[in-house]
């Protein structure tokens, strides 16, 4: 049977800060051009419209901090576009994650402490993507922010619910 979600969480962008092309492969806008954010924002809005027309509430998850300044600036810009576009709709919200994978000193870190305080690899070698451990940290933070906005109940994987 076809599923009919009423809430969708999306996260895009780790590879999106580049030239925009049309379906024919022609460059529409070079990343960094004045019109890039506007053109990319239209793509974001088109995607949101598809979901919102189906009465789906959208939570757009922002990208976490990146290691290199080059990518850090690009991720910040993408997050800005995502946040600005989601603000235009009453049933869409932006969930920032920029600070979620920072170290205690507030900087990017490849390693972060687990629940026992042991440092574990949280980021992939590219300094952008996460490892499974980093993704777990990110997911827990997003779920916490989501629970603040929506009355949802989550269980840990494998946790049995008492009936």
């Amino acid at each position: 049977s076809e599923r009919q979600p009423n809430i969708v969480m999306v996260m895009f962008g780790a590879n999106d800060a580049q030239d925009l092309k049309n379906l024919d492969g022609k460059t529409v806008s070079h990343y960094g051009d004045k019109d890039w954010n506007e053109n990319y924002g239209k793509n974001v809005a088109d995607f949101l419209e598809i979901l919102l027309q189906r009465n789906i509430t959208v939570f757009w998850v922002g990208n976490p901090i990146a290691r290199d300044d080059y990518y850090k600036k690009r991720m910040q810009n993408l997050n800005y576009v995502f946040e600005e576009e989601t603000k235009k709709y009453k049933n869409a919200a932006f969930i920032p994650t920029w600070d979620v994978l920072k170290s205690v000193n507030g900087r990017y870190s490849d390693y972060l402490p687990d629940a026992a305080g042991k440092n574990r690899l949280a980021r992939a070698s590219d300094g952008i993507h996460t490892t499974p451990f980093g993704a777990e940290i990110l997911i827990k933070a997003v779920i916490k922010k989501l629970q603040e906005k929506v009355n949802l109940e989550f269980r840990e994987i494998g946790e049995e619910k008492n009936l």
Side-chain angles (χ1 to χ4, degrees):
S1 70
E2 187 178 327
R3 301 197 183 262
Q4 300 290 328
N6 56 8
I7 295 176
V8 171
M9 294 188 332
V10 298
M11 184 179 191
F12 294 145
N15 298 309
D16 283 4
Q18 55 186 308
D19 293 352
L20 297 174
K21 298 182 184 294
N22 64 18
L23 294 176
D24 297 328
K26 182 177 183 263
T27 299
V28 175
S29 181
H30 295 287
Y31 185 81
D33 285 355
K34 288 190 305 188
D35 65 346
W36 191 92
N37 278 14
E38 182 182 341
N39 287 322
Y40 187 77
K42 286 178 187 171
N43 292 342
V44 171
D46 288 346
F47 180 78
L48 284 168
E49 287 289 338
I50 291 168
L51 297 173
L52 300 175
Q53 286 172 2
R54 291 165 174 77
N55 294 319
I56 297 172
T57 298
V58 179
F59 290 97
W60 200 294
V61 180
N63 291 293
I65 190 171
R67 178 177 53 220
D68 301 322
D69 283 342
Y70 175 82
Y71 287 108
K72 197 181 296 181
K73 289 174 183 168
R74 288 172 179 247
M75 293 304 106
Q76 283 177 314
N77 184 55
L78 289 167
N79 286 343
Y80 170 78
V81 175
F82 301 145
E83 187 168 14
E84 289 302 304
E85 290 302 320
T86 54
K87 280 181 186 176
K88 297 175 184 177
Y89 301 94
K90 67 176 185 169
N91 54 338
F94 179 76
I95 298 178
T97 65
W98 191 257
D99 294 333
V100 172
L101 297 178
K102 284 185 176 180
S103 66
V104 290
N105 66 7
R107 296 191 183 126
Y108 172 92
S109 180
D110 285 322
Y111 291 85
L112 294 170
D114 63 14
K118 180 182 176 192
N119 277 338
R120 292 178 53 194
L121 186 63
R123 301 304 287 270
S125 61
D126 63 7
I128 299 169
H129 295 85
T130 65
T131 64
F133 173 67
E136 185 180 325
I137 294 171
L138 199 63
I139 289 166
K140 286 181 178 179
V142 169
I143 287 173
K144 184 178 178 187
K145 290 177 184 182
L146 189 61
Q147 285 175 309
E148 293 168 4
K149 296 180 180 293
V150 181
N151 184 19
L152 294 175
E153 180 182 321
F154 289 93
R155 295 180 306 224
E156 291 291 325
I157 295 172
E159 179 184 332
E160 295 297 322
K161 184 172 182 173
N162 295 329
L163 299 176

